[in-house]
Amino acid sequence: MKDLIKNEMIRYVLESKENWLEEINDRYYDEPIIKFASADDPLFEEYKKIIGSDHLTPGEAFEMAFGKDSYHGGTVISVVLPINEKIRKSNAAQTEWASKEWALLRVFGDEVFKKGFIKYIENFLNQKGHRTLAPSDAEWFKLYSTSLGPASNWSERHIAYAAGLGTFGINDGFITEKGIAIRLVSFVTDLKLSVDIREAKNHTENCLLYSKGICGACMKRCPVGAISKDGHDKIKCYKYVYGEESRRLAESYGGSAKVASGCGLCQTKVPCECKNPIS
C-alpha cells in the first residue's frame, strides 16, 4: 500500500496540468519525496512542549475532522515538493526581493496546485476506505501570533522531521535530501502502515552552521538581517515578506497581494538550496 500511495502522489505531481508555470515552460515542483511516521509517535506529544500546547497531535487532528473517539491509530504521510530548478535560479539571481517566478509559485503553485493535490490524495484514500485528511488545509487550521513570531497548530516542518525527511536550518527552513527550497504537505490517515526510520542524530544535523560551524550563507542572503548566529527573527522576516511593498510587487508580477511576493532569498544561492550539504 505504501508503494501505491507513493506512486499515485508522484504520478499526480508529474502529470497535473496545474503543476505548470508558463513563464518557464516547466513544473513548479519536481518529483516528491514521501515518508511515513506512526501517528502515535511520542514526538508528536512532545511538540506540545516544544512548539506550544495548541499544536495538535495526529490523533487530535483526526478527531477534529471525523469526530470524538474516531481515532484508533494510524499513519502520518509527509511529502516534500522540491521547487523546480528554473524557479530557484530566478530567485538566486535576486538580492532584495523575490523573482517573478518565485512570487507566482506562491499563488499558483501553493494556492492552486498544492490545494488540488491535497484534495486529490484525500479523496484517493477516502474512496479506498481509509479516512484521511490534510490538517493544514482543514477549516480549523490556524495561524496565530506569539511573542517570537507567527506559529500554527500544525507545523509541516515538524511533521516532516518526525517522518525522517530532514532537519532544521539556522533560518528555520527545513533541509531535506532535496535541499531547503521546497514546500511541505502532510496527511493523517487511519491506514496503519510501516514507518520510516528517523535517522538524524538531532533536529539541526543537516545545517552546516549548526553541525560544523561553517557557512552562514543564508545570513548574507537575507535582505533585512533577520538571520544571525542566534537564529531567525520571525517577526522581522514576516513584516518584510508580507509587507506593503511585497504585496505591491506581487500584484505587479500578476500574483496576489494576499500572499505577497515572498522572499525565499535564504533558500536560494545557498549550499543547502537543492541538496543536503552534510551528505
Side-chain angles (χ1 to χ4, degrees), residues 84-184:
N84 183 282
E85 181 183 12
K86 294 177 184 177
I87 298 176
R88 288 189 279 107
K89 282 187 173 181
S90 73
N91 211 52
Q94 304 302 308
T95 58
E96 186 174 4
W97 291 103
S99 67
K100 178 180 181 179
E101 292 84 353
W102 192 273
L104 294 178
L105 168 77
R106 289 170 64 85
V107 183
F108 302 105
D110 295 351
E111 297 296 311
V112 178
F113 165 76
K114 198 167 77 169
K115 286 183 178 293
F117 173 67
I118 285 170
K119 292 304 179 188
Y120 178 83
I121 297 303
E122 285 179 332
N123 291 336
F124 174 76
L125 287 171
N126 283 323
Q127 287 172 8
K128 290 187 178 297
H130 309 296
R131 290 178 295 180
T132 303
L133 75 145
S136 64
D137 196 52
E139 59 182 14
W140 37 261
F141 172 77
K142 65 178 181 179
L143 291 167
Y144 55 92
S145 298
T146 73
S147 59
L148 297 176
S152 73
N153 60 349
W154 187 261
S155 167
E156 294 291 8
R157 291 170 300 136
H158 286 83
I159 301 306
Y161 175 74
L165 280 164
T167 75
F168 296 82
I170 190 73
N171 63 352
D172 278 337
F174 193 74
I175 306 171
T176 71
E177 293 306 308
K178 289 290 185 178
I180 200 170
I182 58 163
R183 294 292 190 266
L184 296 165

Side-chain angles (χ1 to χ4, degrees), residues 1-12 34:
M1 190 63 183
K2 284 177 69 174
D3 285 341
L4 177 64
I5 294 170
K6 284 184 175 182
N7 290 338
E8 195 63 21
M9 288 181 169
I10 291 170
R11 185 198 65 77
Y12 185 93
I34 303 123

